[in-house]
Amino acid sequence: MEPGGAPPVAISEKALNRPATPGETATPNEAAAPEESATPDETAAPGEGDRPPPTPLRLTSPLALTLLLLLMVLLQSPLRRALAAPVMQTWTTVFVAVMIQALPFLVLGVLLSAAIAVYVPPSFFARALPRRPALAVPVAGLAGAVLPGCECASVPVAGALVRRGVTPAAALAFLLSAPAINPIVLTATAVAFPGNPEMVLARFVASLLVACAMGWLWHRLGRTDWMRPPAHGRHEGQSKGEAFWDATRHDVMHAGGFLVVGAMAAATLKAVAPEHWLRAAADHPVVAVLSLAVLAVVLSICSEADAFVAASLTQFSLTARLAFLVVGPMIDLKLFAMQAGTFGRGFAFRFAPATFVLAIGGAVLTGAVLL
């Protein structure tokens, strides 16, 4: 101890680390003590590190619809002038006419096909069909005339039949005939062609002939390894009510979208395509049939509504329009995708071209006899 100085004060380690309170001055030893750096967890506010990063703004369906409506309000003057043009008036008239005529049949057909797919057990078909494939094919084809079903429902039903032991030839005959000759489709055809009632009989005969021919052809030439065993249906595991409304909602949205596309295409052909182009194609029977057959594949319209699109193509002959009605329910873009998903791509790549050729041949042969 220095003379005259104060005795040394012992400073504990705890006191060195204690921060000075307001009004206190740090001692030299306290000032010299190194400060501990705070970790990020200590400096962060409670719960701040757990906060998720901000999500970017995404364009959802309600937002897109709102933006579209706002854009239409802002551009209402140009849109009004465009819709007042004679071409757009023709387009709108044809589009609305096709949609209004087709929608009731589309909704009714979807409801009935969903009810059959859900409430009619596939074992019923297995018990009702003959065991001999050669006889089971025409019976399955005729079953399509009394069991309404669009093509969206016929593929899953055919897959369920194969899973339950029905011969593939009979299941494929039902797959082709059910969307083409059921009562809803034939009634819609009669309404669409009021001045040509023979179109109803021609569609029934040609579609049934092609369905049976494809069934017999598959029984004769088809191989087991060409068809993948179908997986379980998408409605299995659900209650009857859930499966029915799920099937109805899916088919209405799916088939309704293709109906809109088909109505738009028919209206565009009617309003925009030069008359002499359509007349030139319609005047050549082979070109007319092939053109409408390819159009049926591309448009992929539901069978409950395709008669009204065909009726609007007045430049073409009845035989060419019959080809449109026979080809569409049997092979189009959505059917090809569904068949590939249910039975395998190898099956679809063999079955679709053969069906397309036979459908054109059956339509031409039937049209030459009945139309």
Short mmCIF file of all heavy atoms in Angstrom, two decimals, residues 90-103 106 151 253-271 292 294-313 324-325 328 332-334:
data_model
loop_
_atom_site.label_atom_id
_atom_site.label_comp_id
_atom_site.label_asym_id
_atom_site.label_seq_id
_atom_site.Cartn_x
_atom_site.Cartn_y
_atom_site.Cartn_z
N THR A 90 -71.67 -12.04 -86.20
CA THR A 90 -71.89 -13.41 -86.68
C THR A 90 -71.24 -14.42 -85.76
O THR A 90 -71.83 -15.46 -85.41
CB THR A 90 -71.35 -13.55 -88.11
OG1 THR A 90 -71.98 -12.58 -88.95
CG2 THR A 90 -71.60 -14.95 -88.65
N TRP A 91 -70.01 -14.13 -85.34
CA TRP A 91 -69.28 -15.04 -84.46
C TRP A 91 -70.03 -15.21 -83.14
O TRP A 91 -70.20 -16.34 -82.65
CB TRP A 91 -67.88 -14.48 -84.20
CG TRP A 91 -66.96 -15.42 -83.47
CD1 TRP A 91 -66.07 -16.28 -84.02
CD2 TRP A 91 -66.85 -15.59 -82.05
NE1 TRP A 91 -65.40 -16.97 -83.05
CE2 TRP A 91 -65.86 -16.57 -81.83
CE3 TRP A 91 -67.49 -15.01 -80.96
CZ2 TRP A 91 -65.50 -16.98 -80.55
CZ3 TRP A 91 -67.13 -15.42 -79.67
CH2 TRP A 91 -66.15 -16.39 -79.49
N THR A 92 -70.47 -14.12 -82.56
CA THR A 92 -71.17 -14.19 -81.29
C THR A 92 -72.49 -14.94 -81.41
O THR A 92 -72.85 -15.74 -80.53
CB THR A 92 -71.43 -12.77 -80.76
OG1 THR A 92 -70.20 -12.05 -80.69
CG2 THR A 92 -72.05 -12.80 -79.38
N THR A 93 -73.20 -14.73 -82.50
CA THR A 93 -74.49 -15.42 -82.69
C THR A 93 -74.30 -16.93 -82.77
O THR A 93 -75.02 -17.70 -82.12
CB THR A 93 -75.17 -14.89 -83.96
OG1 THR A 93 -75.37 -13.48 -83.84
CG2 THR A 93 -76.51 -15.58 -84.18
N VAL A 94 -73.32 -17.37 -83.56
CA VAL A 94 -73.09 -18.81 -83.71
C VAL A 94 -72.60 -19.41 -82.39
O VAL A 94 -73.05 -20.49 -81.96
CB VAL A 94 -72.07 -19.07 -84.84
CG1 VAL A 94 -71.73 -20.55 -84.93
CG2 VAL A 94 -72.62 -18.57 -86.17
N PHE A 95 -71.69 -18.73 -81.71
CA PHE A 95 -71.14 -19.24 -80.45
C PHE A 95 -72.23 -19.40 -79.39
O PHE A 95 -72.35 -20.45 -78.74
CB PHE A 95 -70.05 -18.30 -79.95
CG PHE A 95 -69.48 -18.69 -78.61
CD1 PHE A 95 -68.59 -19.71 -78.48
CD2 PHE A 95 -69.89 -18.00 -77.46
CE1 PHE A 95 -68.08 -20.07 -77.24
CE2 PHE A 95 -69.39 -18.36 -76.21
CZ PHE A 95 -68.48 -19.39 -76.11
N VAL A 96 -73.04 -18.36 -79.21
CA VAL A 96 -74.10 -18.42 -78.20
C VAL A 96 -75.14 -19.48 -78.56
O VAL A 96 -75.64 -20.21 -77.69
CB VAL A 96 -74.74 -17.03 -78.04
CG1 VAL A 96 -75.97 -17.10 -77.13
CG2 VAL A 96 -73.73 -16.04 -77.47
N ALA A 97 -75.48 -19.60 -79.85
CA ALA A 97 -76.47 -20.59 -80.26
C ALA A 97 -75.99 -22.01 -79.97
O ALA A 97 -76.75 -22.84 -79.45
CB ALA A 97 -76.78 -20.43 -81.75
N VAL A 98 -74.73 -22.29 -80.29
CA VAL A 98 -74.20 -23.63 -80.03
C VAL A 98 -74.17 -23.92 -78.53
O VAL A 98 -74.55 -25.01 -78.08
CB VAL A 98 -72.80 -23.77 -80.66
CG1 VAL A 98 -72.13 -25.07 -80.21
CG2 VAL A 98 -72.88 -23.73 -82.18
N MET A 99 -73.73 -22.95 -77.73
CA MET A 99 -73.63 -23.17 -76.29
C MET A 99 -75.01 -23.38 -75.65
O MET A 99 -75.18 -24.29 -74.82
CB MET A 99 -72.93 -21.98 -75.64
CG MET A 99 -71.45 -21.85 -75.99
SD MET A 99 -70.46 -23.22 -75.35
CE MET A 99 -70.71 -23.04 -73.60
N ILE A 100 -75.99 -22.56 -76.03
CA ILE A 100 -77.32 -22.68 -75.42
C ILE A 100 -77.98 -24.01 -75.79
O ILE A 100 -78.63 -24.66 -74.97
CB ILE A 100 -78.19 -21.49 -75.85
CG1 ILE A 100 -77.70 -20.20 -75.19
CG2 ILE A 100 -79.65 -21.72 -75.48
CD1 ILE A 100 -78.45 -18.96 -75.59
N GLN A 101 -77.80 -24.44 -77.04
CA GLN A 101 -78.39 -25.71 -77.44
C GLN A 101 -77.70 -26.91 -76.79
O GLN A 101 -78.35 -27.91 -76.46
CB GLN A 101 -78.33 -25.84 -78.97
CG GLN A 101 -79.30 -24.95 -79.72
CD GLN A 101 -79.18 -25.15 -81.21
OE1 GLN A 101 -78.10 -25.07 -81.79
NE2 GLN A 101 -80.30 -25.42 -81.86
N ALA A 102 -76.39 -26.83 -76.61
CA ALA A 102 -75.64 -28.01 -76.18
C ALA A 102 -75.58 -28.16 -74.67
O ALA A 102 -75.49 -29.30 -74.17
CB ALA A 102 -74.21 -27.93 -76.74
N LEU A 103 -75.60 -27.08 -73.91
CA LEU A 103 -75.38 -27.17 -72.47
C LEU A 103 -76.37 -28.07 -71.74
O LEU A 103 -75.96 -28.87 -70.88
CB LEU A 103 -75.39 -25.77 -71.85
CG LEU A 103 -74.03 -25.06 -71.78
CD1 LEU A 103 -74.19 -23.67 -71.20
CD2 LEU A 103 -73.04 -25.87 -70.96
N LEU A 106 -75.35 -31.60 -72.34
CA LEU A 106 -74.06 -31.88 -71.71
C LEU A 106 -74.23 -32.14 -70.22
O LEU A 106 -73.71 -33.13 -69.68
CB LEU A 106 -73.12 -30.70 -71.94
CG LEU A 106 -71.75 -30.79 -71.24
CD1 LEU A 106 -70.94 -31.93 -71.82
CD2 LEU A 106 -70.99 -29.48 -71.36
N GLU A 151 -67.60 -39.80 -73.09
CA GLU A 151 -66.29 -40.46 -73.22
C GLU A 151 -65.44 -40.28 -71.98
O GLU A 151 -64.56 -41.11 -71.71
CB GLU A 151 -65.55 -39.95 -74.45
CG GLU A 151 -65.48 -38.46 -74.58
CD GLU A 151 -66.60 -37.90 -75.43
OE1 GLU A 151 -67.78 -38.20 -75.14
OE2 GLU A 151 -66.33 -37.15 -76.36
N MET A 253 -66.45 -29.69 -65.74
CA MET A 253 -65.36 -28.77 -66.02
C MET A 253 -64.55 -29.24 -67.23
O MET A 253 -64.16 -28.43 -68.08
CB MET A 253 -64.45 -28.65 -64.80
CG MET A 253 -65.14 -28.05 -63.57
SD MET A 253 -65.78 -26.39 -63.87
CE MET A 253 -64.26 -25.50 -64.18
N HIS A 254 -64.32 -30.54 -67.31
CA HIS A 254 -63.51 -31.08 -68.39
C HIS A 254 -64.24 -30.98 -69.73
O HIS A 254 -63.73 -30.41 -70.69
CB HIS A 254 -63.16 -32.54 -68.09
CG HIS A 254 -62.08 -33.10 -68.95
ND1 HIS A 254 -60.76 -32.75 -68.82
CD2 HIS A 254 -62.13 -33.99 -69.98
CE1 HIS A 254 -60.03 -33.40 -69.71
NE2 HIS A 254 -60.84 -34.16 -70.43
N ALA A 255 -65.45 -31.52 -69.78
CA ALA A 255 -66.20 -31.51 -71.02
C ALA A 255 -66.68 -30.11 -71.38
O ALA A 255 -66.74 -29.74 -72.55
CB ALA A 255 -67.40 -32.46 -70.92
N GLY A 256 -67.03 -29.30 -70.37
CA GLY A 256 -67.47 -27.94 -70.65
C GLY A 256 -66.39 -27.10 -71.28
O GLY A 256 -66.66 -26.27 -72.17
N GLY A 257 -65.15 -27.29 -70.87
CA GLY A 257 -64.06 -26.55 -71.49
C GLY A 257 -63.89 -26.90 -72.95
O GLY A 257 -63.69 -26.01 -73.80
N PHE A 258 -63.97 -28.18 -73.27
CA PHE A 258 -63.85 -28.57 -74.67
C PHE A 258 -65.06 -28.11 -75.49
O PHE A 258 -64.93 -27.83 -76.68
CB PHE A 258 -63.68 -30.09 -74.77
CG PHE A 258 -62.31 -30.57 -74.41
CD1 PHE A 258 -62.08 -31.21 -73.21
CD2 PHE A 258 -61.24 -30.37 -75.27
CE1 PHE A 258 -60.81 -31.65 -72.86
CE2 PHE A 258 -59.97 -30.81 -74.92
CZ PHE A 258 -59.75 -31.46 -73.72
N LEU A 259 -66.23 -28.04 -74.86
CA LEU A 259 -67.39 -27.52 -75.57
C LEU A 259 -67.19 -26.06 -75.94
O LEU A 259 -67.53 -25.63 -77.05
CB LEU A 259 -68.64 -27.68 -74.71
CG LEU A 259 -69.91 -27.01 -75.24
CD1 LEU A 259 -70.29 -27.56 -76.61
CD2 LEU A 259 -71.06 -27.16 -74.26
N VAL A 260 -66.64 -25.27 -75.04
CA VAL A 260 -66.37 -23.86 -75.33
C VAL A 260 -65.39 -23.74 -76.48
O VAL A 260 -65.58 -22.94 -77.41
CB VAL A 260 -65.84 -23.15 -74.08
CG1 VAL A 260 -65.35 -21.75 -74.41
CG2 VAL A 260 -66.92 -23.08 -73.01
N VAL A 261 -64.34 -24.56 -76.46
CA VAL A 261 -63.36 -24.52 -77.55
C VAL A 261 -64.01 -24.92 -78.87
O VAL A 261 -63.77 -24.30 -79.92
CB VAL A 261 -62.17 -25.45 -77.22
CG1 VAL A 261 -61.23 -25.56 -78.41
CG2 VAL A 261 -61.41 -24.92 -76.01
N GLY A 262 -64.85 -25.95 -78.85
CA GLY A 262 -65.53 -26.37 -80.07
C GLY A 262 -66.48 -25.33 -80.60
O GLY A 262 -66.55 -25.09 -81.81
N ALA A 263 -67.25 -24.71 -79.71
CA ALA A 263 -68.16 -23.65 -80.14
C ALA A 263 -67.40 -22.46 -80.72
O ALA A 263 -67.82 -21.86 -81.72
CB ALA A 263 -69.04 -23.21 -78.97
N MET A 264 -66.28 -22.12 -80.12
CA MET A 264 -65.45 -21.03 -80.65
C MET A 264 -64.89 -21.37 -82.03
O MET A 264 -64.85 -20.53 -82.93
CB MET A 264 -64.32 -20.71 -79.68
CG MET A 264 -64.77 -20.10 -78.36
SD MET A 264 -63.41 -19.91 -77.17
CE MET A 264 -62.37 -18.75 -78.04
N ALA A 265 -64.46 -22.63 -82.20
CA ALA A 265 -63.93 -23.03 -83.50
C ALA A 265 -65.02 -23.02 -84.57
O ALA A 265 -64.78 -22.56 -85.70
CB ALA A 265 -63.31 -24.43 -83.39
N ALA A 266 -66.21 -23.52 -84.22
CA ALA A 266 -67.30 -23.50 -85.19
C ALA A 266 -67.69 -22.08 -85.55
O ALA A 266 -67.95 -21.77 -86.73
CB ALA A 266 -68.50 -24.26 -84.63
N ALA A 267 -67.75 -21.20 -84.57
CA ALA A 267 -68.09 -19.80 -84.84
C ALA A 267 -67.02 -19.12 -85.69
O ALA A 267 -67.32 -18.31 -86.58
CB ALA A 267 -68.28 -19.05 -83.52
N THR A 268 -65.76 -19.46 -85.44
CA THR A 268 -64.67 -18.87 -86.23
C THR A 268 -64.73 -19.33 -87.67
O THR A 268 -64.53 -18.54 -88.60
CB THR A 268 -63.32 -19.23 -85.59
OG1 THR A 268 -63.30 -18.77 -84.23
CG2 THR A 268 -62.18 -18.58 -86.35
N LEU A 269 -64.97 -20.64 -87.87
CA LEU A 269 -65.09 -21.14 -89.23
C LEU A 269 -66.25 -20.46 -89.96
O LEU A 269 -66.16 -20.16 -91.16
CB LEU A 269 -65.30 -22.65 -89.22
CG LEU A 269 -64.07 -23.52 -88.91
CD1 LEU A 269 -64.47 -24.97 -88.84
CD2 LEU A 269 -62.99 -23.33 -89.97
N LYS A 270 -67.32 -20.23 -89.24
CA LYS A 270 -68.51 -19.65 -89.86
C LYS A 270 -68.30 -18.18 -90.18
O LYS A 270 -68.79 -17.68 -91.21
CB LYS A 270 -69.69 -19.81 -88.90
CG LYS A 270 -71.05 -19.61 -89.55
CD LYS A 270 -71.47 -20.83 -90.32
CE LYS A 270 -72.92 -20.73 -90.78
NZ LYS A 270 -73.32 -21.92 -91.55
N ALA A 271 -67.59 -17.45 -89.33
CA ALA A 271 -67.50 -16.00 -89.47
C ALA A 271 -66.24 -15.52 -90.17
O ALA A 271 -66.26 -14.50 -90.86
CB ALA A 271 -67.59 -15.34 -88.09
N LEU A 292 -63.26 -32.96 -91.72
CA LEU A 292 -64.11 -32.98 -90.54
C LEU A 292 -63.70 -34.08 -89.56
O LEU A 292 -63.88 -33.94 -88.35
CB LEU A 292 -65.57 -33.13 -90.93
CG LEU A 292 -66.19 -31.93 -91.66
CD1 LEU A 292 -67.71 -32.06 -91.73
CD2 LEU A 292 -65.83 -30.62 -90.98
N VAL A 294 -60.54 -35.02 -88.99
CA VAL A 294 -59.40 -34.44 -88.26
C VAL A 294 -59.87 -33.34 -87.31
O VAL A 294 -59.38 -33.22 -86.19
CB VAL A 294 -58.35 -33.90 -89.26
CG1 VAL A 294 -57.25 -33.15 -88.54
CG2 VAL A 294 -57.75 -35.04 -90.07
N LEU A 295 -60.85 -32.55 -87.75
CA LEU A 295 -61.39 -31.51 -86.89
C LEU A 295 -62.02 -32.10 -85.63
O LEU A 295 -61.89 -31.53 -84.53
CB LEU A 295 -62.42 -30.69 -87.67
CG LEU A 295 -62.98 -29.44 -86.97
CD1 LEU A 295 -61.88 -28.41 -86.77
CD2 LEU A 295 -64.13 -28.84 -87.78
N ALA A 296 -62.71 -33.24 -85.77
CA ALA A 296 -63.30 -33.89 -84.60
C ALA A 296 -62.23 -34.34 -83.61
O ALA A 296 -62.42 -34.24 -82.39
CB ALA A 296 -64.15 -35.09 -85.04
N VAL A 297 -61.10 -34.82 -84.10
CA VAL A 297 -60.01 -35.25 -83.21
C VAL A 297 -59.42 -34.05 -82.48
O VAL A 297 -59.15 -34.11 -81.28
CB VAL A 297 -58.93 -35.99 -84.02
CG1 VAL A 297 -57.73 -36.31 -83.14
CG2 VAL A 297 -59.49 -37.27 -84.61
N VAL A 298 -59.23 -32.95 -83.20
CA VAL A 298 -58.58 -31.78 -82.61
C VAL A 298 -59.49 -31.06 -81.62
O VAL A 298 -59.07 -30.68 -80.52
CB VAL A 298 -58.10 -30.82 -83.72
CG1 VAL A 298 -57.56 -29.53 -83.12
CG2 VAL A 298 -57.05 -31.49 -84.58
N LEU A 299 -60.77 -30.90 -81.97
CA LEU A 299 -61.67 -30.15 -81.10
C LEU A 299 -62.01 -30.89 -79.82
O LEU A 299 -62.21 -30.28 -78.77
CB LEU A 299 -62.96 -29.81 -81.85
CG LEU A 299 -62.84 -28.84 -83.02
CD1 LEU A 299 -64.21 -28.52 -83.60
CD2 LEU A 299 -62.15 -27.55 -82.58
N SER A 300 -62.10 -32.21 -79.87
CA SER A 300 -62.34 -33.03 -78.67
C SER A 300 -63.61 -32.60 -77.92
O SER A 300 -63.61 -32.43 -76.70
CB SER A 300 -61.13 -32.96 -77.72
OG SER A 300 -59.96 -33.35 -78.38
N ILE A 301 -64.72 -32.44 -78.66
CA ILE A 301 -65.98 -32.01 -78.06
C ILE A 301 -66.67 -33.21 -77.44
O ILE A 301 -66.61 -34.32 -77.95
CB ILE A 301 -66.88 -31.35 -79.11
CG1 ILE A 301 -66.12 -30.29 -79.88
CG2 ILE A 301 -68.10 -30.72 -78.47
CD1 ILE A 301 -66.87 -29.74 -81.07
N CYS A 302 -67.34 -32.98 -76.32
CA CYS A 302 -68.09 -34.05 -75.67
C CYS A 302 -69.22 -34.52 -76.59
O CYS A 302 -69.82 -33.73 -77.32
CB CYS A 302 -68.66 -33.56 -74.34
SG CYS A 302 -69.39 -34.86 -73.34
N SER A 303 -69.51 -35.81 -76.55
CA SER A 303 -70.46 -36.39 -77.50
C SER A 303 -71.88 -35.87 -77.29
O SER A 303 -72.69 -35.92 -78.22
CB SER A 303 -70.45 -37.92 -77.38
OG SER A 303 -70.77 -38.33 -76.06
N GLU A 304 -72.20 -35.41 -76.10
CA GLU A 304 -73.54 -34.86 -75.87
C GLU A 304 -73.75 -33.52 -76.57
O GLU A 304 -74.89 -33.06 -76.68
CB GLU A 304 -73.80 -34.68 -74.37
CG GLU A 304 -74.26 -35.93 -73.66
CD GLU A 304 -73.09 -36.73 -73.16
OE1 GLU A 304 -71.94 -36.25 -73.30
OE2 GLU A 304 -73.28 -37.84 -72.64
N ALA A 305 -72.67 -32.89 -77.04
CA ALA A 305 -72.78 -31.55 -77.62
C ALA A 305 -72.24 -31.45 -79.03
O ALA A 305 -72.43 -30.41 -79.68
CB ALA A 305 -72.04 -30.54 -76.72
N ASP A 306 -71.59 -32.48 -79.55
CA ASP A 306 -70.93 -32.34 -80.85
C ASP A 306 -71.92 -32.24 -82.01
O ASP A 306 -71.59 -31.70 -83.07
CB ASP A 306 -69.95 -33.50 -81.09
CG ASP A 306 -70.63 -34.86 -81.05
OD1 ASP A 306 -71.85 -34.92 -80.78
OD2 ASP A 306 -69.94 -35.87 -81.27
N ALA A 307 -73.16 -32.73 -81.83
CA ALA A 307 -74.13 -32.66 -82.93
C ALA A 307 -74.46 -31.22 -83.30
O ALA A 307 -74.69 -30.91 -84.47
CB ALA A 307 -75.40 -33.42 -82.55
N PHE A 308 -74.48 -30.33 -82.32
CA PHE A 308 -74.81 -28.94 -82.60
C PHE A 308 -73.67 -28.23 -83.33
O PHE A 308 -73.91 -27.34 -84.16
CB PHE A 308 -75.14 -28.22 -81.29
CG PHE A 308 -76.31 -28.82 -80.58
CD1 PHE A 308 -76.12 -29.72 -79.54
CD2 PHE A 308 -77.60 -28.52 -80.96
CE1 PHE A 308 -77.19 -30.29 -78.88
CE2 PHE A 308 -78.69 -29.08 -80.31
CZ PHE A 308 -78.48 -29.97 -79.28
N VAL A 309 -72.44 -28.62 -83.05
CA VAL A 309 -71.31 -28.08 -83.82
C VAL A 309 -71.35 -28.61 -85.24
O VAL A 309 -71.13 -27.86 -86.20
CB VAL A 309 -69.98 -28.45 -83.13
CG1 VAL A 309 -68.79 -27.98 -83.95
CG2 VAL A 309 -69.92 -27.84 -81.73
N ALA A 310 -71.64 -29.91 -85.41
CA ALA A 310 -71.73 -30.47 -86.76
C ALA A 310 -72.87 -29.83 -87.54
O ALA A 310 -72.74 -29.59 -88.75
CB ALA A 310 -71.92 -31.98 -86.68
N ALA A 311 -73.99 -29.56 -86.89
CA ALA A 311 -75.13 -28.96 -87.60
C ALA A 311 -74.81 -27.56 -88.09
O ALA A 311 -75.39 -27.10 -89.09
CB ALA A 311 -76.34 -28.93 -86.68
N SER A 312 -73.89 -26.86 -87.42
CA SER A 312 -73.53 -25.51 -87.85
C SER A 312 -72.63 -25.50 -89.08
O SER A 312 -72.47 -24.45 -89.71
CB SER A 312 -72.85 -24.76 -86.70
OG SER A 312 -71.58 -25.33 -86.41
N LEU A 313 -72.02 -26.62 -89.42
CA LEU A 313 -71.12 -26.69 -90.58
C LEU A 313 -71.95 -27.02 -91.82
O LEU A 313 -71.82 -28.08 -92.44
CB LEU A 313 -70.04 -27.75 -90.33
CG LEU A 313 -69.18 -27.54 -89.08
CD1 LEU A 313 -68.25 -28.72 -88.85
CD2 LEU A 313 -68.38 -26.25 -89.18
N PHE A 324 -67.72 -36.66 -88.77
CA PHE A 324 -67.40 -35.85 -87.59
C PHE A 324 -68.06 -36.44 -86.34
O PHE A 324 -67.44 -36.51 -85.27
CB PHE A 324 -67.88 -34.42 -87.83
CG PHE A 324 -67.61 -33.47 -86.71
CD1 PHE A 324 -66.42 -32.77 -86.63
CD2 PHE A 324 -68.56 -33.26 -85.72
CE1 PHE A 324 -66.18 -31.89 -85.59
CE2 PHE A 324 -68.33 -32.37 -84.68
CZ PHE A 324 -67.12 -31.69 -84.61
N LEU A 325 -69.30 -36.88 -86.46
CA LEU A 325 -70.05 -37.40 -85.31
C LEU A 325 -69.60 -38.80 -84.91
O LEU A 325 -69.75 -39.18 -83.75
CB LEU A 325 -71.55 -37.40 -85.62
CG LEU A 325 -72.18 -36.03 -85.89
CD1 LEU A 325 -73.65 -36.19 -86.23
CD2 LEU A 325 -72.01 -35.13 -84.68
N GLY A 328 -65.48 -38.34 -83.50
CA GLY A 328 -65.27 -37.59 -82.27
C GLY A 328 -65.45 -38.36 -80.99
O GLY A 328 -64.57 -38.34 -80.12
N ASP A 332 -60.26 -38.81 -79.90
CA ASP A 332 -59.85 -37.41 -79.98
C ASP A 332 -58.68 -37.24 -79.03
O ASP A 332 -58.16 -38.22 -78.47
CB ASP A 332 -61.00 -36.45 -79.67
CG ASP A 332 -61.65 -36.72 -78.32
OD1 ASP A 332 -60.94 -37.19 -77.39
OD2 ASP A 332 -62.85 -36.46 -78.16
N LEU A 333 -58.23 -36.01 -78.86
CA LEU A 333 -57.01 -35.78 -78.09
C LEU A 333 -57.19 -36.18 -76.62
O LEU A 333 -56.31 -36.82 -76.03
CB LEU A 333 -56.60 -34.31 -78.19
CG LEU A 333 -56.20 -33.83 -79.60
CD1 LEU A 333 -55.80 -32.37 -79.56
CD2 LEU A 333 -55.07 -34.68 -80.15
N LYS A 334 -58.31 -35.80 -76.02
CA LYS A 334 -58.50 -36.13 -74.61
C LYS A 334 -58.72 -37.63 -74.42
O LYS A 334 -58.26 -38.21 -73.43
CB LYS A 334 -59.65 -35.33 -74.01
CG LYS A 334 -61.04 -35.71 -74.47
CD LYS A 334 -62.09 -34.93 -73.69
CE LYS A 334 -63.50 -35.37 -74.08
NZ LYS A 334 -63.81 -35.17 -75.49
#
